[in-house]
Amino acid sequence: MHRFISARLLILMGFLLILEYGLSPFFVFLRGRPDLLYLVILDYAFFGNWQQVPWFSLGVGLLRDCLGAHLFGIQALSFALTGYLLSLGGQKLERDNFWVRLGMSFLFVGLTEILSLGLAGWLETSQAISLNSMGTIFLTTTYTTALAP
């Protein structure tokens, strides 16, 4: 039986949190930057217990909600929903294949970003969905997928 969270995963999450909120603003390329917290979820999905991915994603989303500036719950909901889709993909697809992992990573990050933007645009009046924001989502998705496990 797998543990829900391991010491290696806690160390990885702490390291990526420091990089995400400490150094990540310095790595902006063409309005996009890699989002490092996705890497923890992808690592858990591909090399850990894929059945617990929705719960783990919910936890990472709650952590991100606590540290972020959006309405509380937007990140948690979008991470949990796309984490559920990621766990379904982990059941049906072969996770050992590099190209499958790359495609699943791209879809997970892209869908989570689009869902977060949609929820923020619906619930927060200050955020509007535009072609510019979709370009930023594509660049963020591409950069994060390039770093994915």
Side-chain angles (χ1 to χ4, degrees):
M1 176 140 197
H2 293 284
R3 288 183 292 170
F4 184 67
I5 194 163
S6 65
R8 181 187 74 82
L9 201 58
L10 282 174
I11 292 170
L12 178 65
M13 190 180 313
F15 178 70
L16 290 177
L17 270 172
I18 291 169
L19 286 178
E20 176 75 25
Y21 291 106
L23 298 176
S24 183
F26 299 114
F27 296 109
V28 176
F29 307 107
L30 301 172
R31 294 184 337 254
R33 64 180 176 87
D35 197 338
L36 302 176
L37 286 179
Y38 288 115
L39 300 178
V40 177
I41 298 171
L42 292 169
D43 180 69
Y44 190 79
F46 296 144
F47 304 113
N49 188 0
W50 54 266
Q51 297 150 333
Q52 299 293 328
V53 171
W55 298 109
F56 185 73
S57 299
L58 176 67
V60 172
L62 286 172
L63 176 68
R64 192 161 175 181
D65 275 335
C66 290
L67 298 173
H70 288 288
L71 188 64
F72 190 80
I74 290 176
Q75 298 291 323
L77 180 62
S78 60
F79 272 54
L81 290 175
T82 53
Y84 177 71
L85 293 175
L86 185 63
S87 72
L88 287 178
Q91 292 175 19
K92 304 293 181 193
L93 301 172
E94 184 168 341
R95 295 178 292 155
D96 295 333
N97 188 338
F98 171 75
W99 297 108
V100 171
R101 284 197 319 260
L102 193 68
M104 286 175 67
S105 300
F106 188 83
L107 287 174
F108 171 70
V109 175
L111 286 174
T112 306
E113 288 285 323
I114 289 170
L115 187 59
S116 296
L117 181 68
L119 285 172
W122 182 49
L123 296 173
E124 297 175 353
T125 57
S126 63
Q127 182 123 4
I129 299 172
S130 66
L131 191 59
N132 190 20
S133 60
M134 293 304 285
T136 303
I137 286 175
F138 179 75
L139 289 172
T140 300
T141 302
T142 304
Y143 296 150
T144 306
T145 303
L147 297 174

